[in-house]
């Protein structure tokens, strides 16, 4: 089974979005690191939309099962009421081993397979993973944003790079910057009062301020924003 639509031609249509074939997926870890370093310079931390986003796609992937197959899921929600518009999944065997810092080479092909099945193009992709808050400033949210040329946000459950630059207030909506080597790489964001924060970073074509704003707009009483929370459930077969 083809793991990624990008390997069939120069680009694939994902809804109404073209996904670019920026590189081969058949690479070793050393080559993947060099690809990350090269593509990191193309990431934009400026807002790439003229109107407020309407459709937000949350993406996540399940752990492999006993046969090595994983399921990627995308859940498309409509703002502002977070109505579910589409749920799509795509399964297969990851073609890249688990290597810290190279998660996107393992998960992106399957996620792209799920995105390809959408009938409505997302305005923003919310990714359960890192964006710029990554050792090479190129987490999976950056990778998916570049591949689909779509604004993307990294929303991680833990810190990979950076430290909070201040104490975080306990109220929902509070945030502090994450700083790594003197550079702001993201933010710790409280999505629910007195609950552990999530860690937001730019993926592509969005500013950090907008990434925080639209992540909070996607929250519905849980720590995890609704698009990625539902994508996790869909990848586990608990949402249709």
């Amino acid at each position: 089974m083809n793991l990624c639509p990008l390997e069939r031609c120069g680009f694939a249509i994902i809804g109404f979005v073209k996904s670019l074939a920026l590189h081969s997926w058949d690479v070793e870890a050393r080559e993947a690191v060099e690809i990350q370093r090269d593509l990191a310079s193309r990431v934009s931390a400026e807002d790439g939309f003229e109107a407020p986003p309407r459709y937000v796609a949350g993406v996540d992937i399940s752990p492999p099962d006993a046969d090595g197959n994983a399921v990627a899921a995308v859940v498309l929600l409509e703002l502002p009421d977070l109505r579910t518009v589409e749920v799509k999944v795509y399964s297969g065997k990851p073609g890249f081993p688990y290597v810290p810092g190279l998660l996107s080479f393992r998960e992106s092909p399957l996620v792209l397979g799920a995105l390809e099945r959408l009938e409505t193009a997302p305005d923003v992709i919310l990714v359960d993973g890192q964006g710029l808050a990554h050792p090479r400033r190129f987490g999976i949210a950056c990778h998916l944003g570049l591949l689909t040329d779509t604004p993307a946000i990294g929303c991680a459950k833990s810190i990979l790079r950076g430290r909070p630059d201040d104490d975080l207030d306990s109220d929902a909506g509070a945030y502090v910057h994450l700083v790594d080597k003197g550079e702001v790489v993201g933010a710790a964001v409280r999505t629910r009062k007195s609950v552990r924060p999530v860690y937001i970073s730019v993926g592509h074509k969005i500013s950090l301020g907008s990434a925080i704003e639209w992540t909070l707009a996607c929250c519905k009483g849980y720590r995890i924003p609704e698009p990625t929370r539902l994508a996790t459930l869909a990848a586990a077969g608990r949402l249709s």
Side-chain angles (χ1 to χ4, degrees), residues 52-54 56 77-83 126 153 173 189-191 209-221 224-227:
R54 179 180 178 186
V56 180
L77 303 184
E78 183 177 16
L79 292 168
D81 61 352
L82 300 178
R83 178 180 67 90
L126 189 63
I153 301 168
V189 180
R190 189 90 67 190
T191 54
S210 291
I212 295 169
E213 176 185 356
W214 293 111
T215 297
L216 289 171
C218 288
C219 292
K220 203 173 181 179
I224 305 302
E226 202 69 357

Side-chain angles (χ1 to χ4, degrees), residues 81-189:
D81 61 352
L82 300 178
R83 178 180 67 90
T84 301
V85 179
E86 295 185 56
V87 178
K88 303 294 182 182
V89 297
Y90 186 88
S91 62
K93 292 184 178 181
F96 194 87
Y98 175 77
V99 179
L102 297 176
L103 182 70
S104 62
F105 285 85
R106 180 173 175 82
E107 296 189 353
S108 291
L110 293 177
V111 171
L112 289 169
L115 284 166
E116 185 183 27
R117 296 182 172 182
L118 286 177
E119 298 176 10
T120 303
D123 298 308
V124 176
I125 300 173
L126 189 63
V127 184
D128 186 348
Q130 308 289 347
L132 290 180
H134 179 275
R136 288 172 289 279
R137 305 298 187 258
F138 198 75
I140 186 170
C142 301
H143 211 159
L144 289 171
L146 274 177
L147 286 165
T148 61
D149 193 29
T150 300
I153 301 168
C155 180
K157 301 182 186 74
S158 59
I159 294 176
L160 181 61
R161 268 294 188 271
R163 292 187 176 183
D165 66 354
D166 204 346
D167 293 332
L168 181 60
D169 190 86
S170 63
D171 289 340
Y175 70 90
V176 295
H177 288 146
L178 295 178
V179 178
D180 183 42
K181 299 179 180 178
E183 178 185 359
V184 174
V185 295
V189 180

